[in-house]
Amino acid sequence: MKKLLIACFLFVAMANAYATPEEDRLALREFFAQRFPDLDLNEMINGLYAFDEGAREQWLEMEEFPPYEIAIEAGEETFKEPFANGKSYADCFENGGIGIRQNYPRFDTDSGEVVTLEEAINRCRTDNGEEPLPWLTGELANISAYMAYTSRGNKMNVVVPDDPRALAAYEAGKEYYYTRRGQLEFACENYHMQSAGNLLRADRMSGMLGQATHWPVYRSKWGEIGTLHKRFQECNAQVRAKPYEAQSPVYRNLEYFLSYMSNGMELNGPASRR
């Protein structure tokens, strides 16, 4: 345990130095390679199931009839339904919106901000005279699930362009991940690096690597499919910190950083979790 804490401390110190995003990503992979020398790091796209064989067997059985199938079907139907002006979601995205999930979040040089897939979906709606959808669950999560499903097997390819605003957004997301907050004074890193693979009460902690590959997710405790920002809000509440609004700049930057850390790993969303 002492060696693990030292390794975590050294990694965080290095991550908070002036490393490039790619240096951060490679250092993270090296950290987990040393932490779990017998683990295929690509398995970490499966979250806690990369570490817990018993839970993995139950999960694989559930995946034979996955609970998110209804969301994919509903999302496809909505995606293909034209807006009142005759256009559709396919008109808003490259390749008609098929097989592109791996490129999000992306940095928009016009607005100078990070754009998540869910935000792009709602922008598509408002640009075509439609009302935006609620961010966390429901129709928006279904559309996102369908778009993720069409992208399965593609490798995460989030880009931080040579733009100081993009790097600032990435650094803001990184700082958030490593900063302690809430009454419990926990950082994301405490759970998903220091405690990765360990049991915390009855829950086994997933690792930071691959955390962004499988969203949106059907969680048994939710009883529905939800977006990554729903999970961000839940995590804040669990450490007794006040959650930010979904799609706030704070959460978009956090998703940007976390997604870049998963670059090169296969998309496997939507997924199911406890």
Side-chain angles (χ1 to χ4, degrees), residues 145-242:
Y146 168 66
M147 294 179 74
Y149 185 72
T150 70
S151 307
R152 276 191 173 184
N154 295 346
K155 292 186 177 180
M156 291 287 287
N157 186 35
V158 173
V159 175
V160 179
D162 186 16
D163 184 318
R165 299 171 300 171
L167 186 58
Y170 168 87
E171 290 292 340
K174 179 170 75 172
E175 181 179 4
Y176 188 94
Y177 198 88
Y178 293 116
T179 299
R180 293 176 180 268
R181 62 182 42 81
Q183 291 180 338
L184 300 185
E185 292 191 344
F186 273 103
C188 309
E189 172 271 331
N190 295 129
Y191 289 102
H192 301 295
M193 287 187 63
Q194 182 178 325
S195 299
N198 295 339
L199 281 171
L200 190 62
R201 295 180 180 173
D203 296 324
R204 192 171 299 279
M205 296 295 99
S206 61
M208 176 183 176
L209 193 64
Q211 267 190 315
T213 63
H214 47 266
W215 291 88
V217 161
Y218 180 97
R219 300 198 78 197
S220 299
K221 63 187 294 186
W222 295 343
E224 61 184 340
I225 199 162
T227 63
L228 179 56
H229 288 212
K230 178 175 173 63
R231 182 59 178 147
F232 286 164
Q233 289 186 337
E234 185 178 61
C235 289
N236 278 160
Q238 286 175 333
V239 298
R240 299 175 188 171
K242 183 178 179 180

Side-chain angles (χ1 to χ4, degrees), residues 28-29 32 41-47 156 206-215 258-259 261-263 265-266 268 273:
L28 182 67
R29 291 189 66 87
F32 280 110
L41 294 185
N42 293 318
E43 280 295 311
M44 292 184 70
I45 65 175
N46 296 318
M156 291 287 287
S206 61
M208 176 183 176
L209 193 64
Q211 267 190 315
T213 63
H214 47 266
W215 291 88
L258 196 58
S259 298
M261 292 297 98
S262 294
N263 266 1
M265 305 184 80
E266 284 192 2
N268 59 333
R273 295 290 185 267

